[in-house]
Amino acid sequence: MTRRLSAIPARLGRLASRTASAVTVGTGFARTDRSSSTARGYGQDWRRVREQVLADEPLCRFCQAKGRVTAATDLDHIRSFQGLDDPLRLDRSNLRPLCQPCHMARTARQAAGAYE
Ligand SMILES: [Zn+2]
């Protein structure tokens, strides 16, 4: 995105940057991009593990820590994996169930270089 934001009024500029970051975060989940989701580690085996973990622990872990009960919809890699052969990818001890808002917030923080 090398669009000239200076040419856009400030209010619209903020809107545009908010939309852009939401799109960037969204691509991390590979929901709509089926062709490359397998290549990036979110293929059939991942979906199977994901379903098992969510069946065993159906609540968002971050929300639980704050005393809220929220259904988990996503799995977060506590430590990010490096390629398809990395055992961290399907290691259940490296996975935690999160709701989508918590997962998106966590992914955004991770992308910004923060670890927790
Ligand atoms: Zn949550």
Side-chain angles (χ1 to χ4, degrees):
M1 292 278 246
T2 52
R3 209 184 327 155
R4 289 240 219 98
L5 287 178
S6 57
I8 304 172
R11 201 167 60 85
L12 280 178
R14 277 201 301 278
L15 195 65
S17 64
R18 203 158 51 223
T19 308
S21 68
V23 168
T24 306
V25 169
T27 57
F29 299 106
R31 289 259 162 74
T32 54
D33 189 357
R34 251 180 271 169
S35 59
S36 66
S37 67
T38 300
R40 281 188 292 161
Y42 296 96
Q44 192 77 54
D45 53 355
W46 162 253
R47 283 195 284 273
R48 203 173 304 131
V49 170
R50 178 182 175 279
E51 273 169 32
Q52 281 168 3
V53 174
L54 289 178
D56 289 348
E57 195 180 341
L59 298 180
C60 170
R61 228 181 256 186
F62 283 4
C63 286
Q64 273 189 297
K66 293 172 190 156
R68 292 198 299 259
V69 176
T70 309
T73 55
D74 295 354
L75 277 195
D76 178 45
H77 283 94
I78 296 167
R79 287 189 289 153
S80 55
F81 62 92
Q82 312 289 329
L84 290 178
D85 294 331
D86 191 328
L88 284 175
R89 182 170 72 93
L90 300 175
D91 181 352
R92 289 183 61 160
S93 65
N94 188 46
L95 299 169
R96 64 186 158 197
L98 298 177
C99 67
Q100 197 176 43
C102 285
H103 193 199
M104 288 182 76
R106 137 86 181 168
T107 304
R109 283 197 299 274
Q110 192 179 37
Y115 293 89
E116 47 188 293

